[in-house]
Amino acid sequence: MTPLSASDILVRPTWARLKHCEIRGQWVLLVPEQVLYPCPTTVEVLERLAEPTRYGAVIDALADEYDAPVDVIEADLSPLVMGLVEQGYVRRVDA
């Protein structure tokens, strides 16, 4: 699979629903026949990908929000987002 670039447009498929479970007090990702319990970082990313969004914009927004260098955010996010893409929970949108 090709690496992510800042210009890639990513989106969470409509069948992958991110919901906060009041009973468990945590976020869950509901996908067909599965319930996943994403970490807080993954929740941040999945929330931002409800609509098609440029990967670079996600990195920039998180770097700004957490007052962190863009290259540090990108280094942290790249394996996480690539894993989500490989598993199908996030997909690339053809421009």
Side-chain angles (χ1 to χ4, degrees):
M1 184 166 280
T2 59
L4 292 168
S5 77
S7 62
D8 284 340
I9 299 173
L10 305 174
V11 67
R12 177 172 31 98
T14 56
W15 51 261
R17 297 183 340 209
L18 185 65
K19 297 186 88 73
H20 189 266
C21 176
E22 297 299 325
I23 294 169
R24 295 183 189 269
Q26 68 187 71
W27 287 93
V28 295
L29 181 63
L30 304 172
V31 296
E33 299 183 19
Q34 290 183 7
V35 176
L36 305 170
Y37 299 93
C39 72
T41 305
T42 304
V43 170
E44 284 277 340
V45 171
L46 291 172
E47 284 180 319
R48 294 168 193 272
L49 297 177
E51 299 292 327
T53 306
R54 195 175 52 79
Y55 179 53
V58 173
I59 293 169
D60 292 343
L62 289 171
D64 186 50
E65 185 175 326
Y66 290 98
D67 194 28
V70 170
D71 58 330
V72 171
I73 296 293
E74 184 174 13
D76 287 347
L77 283 189
S78 183
L80 180 137
V81 174
M82 197 63 196
L84 292 170
V85 169
E86 288 173 355
Q87 294 171 7
Y89 303 131
V90 169
R91 64 181 177 88
R92 289 179 168 137
V93 177
D94 294 327

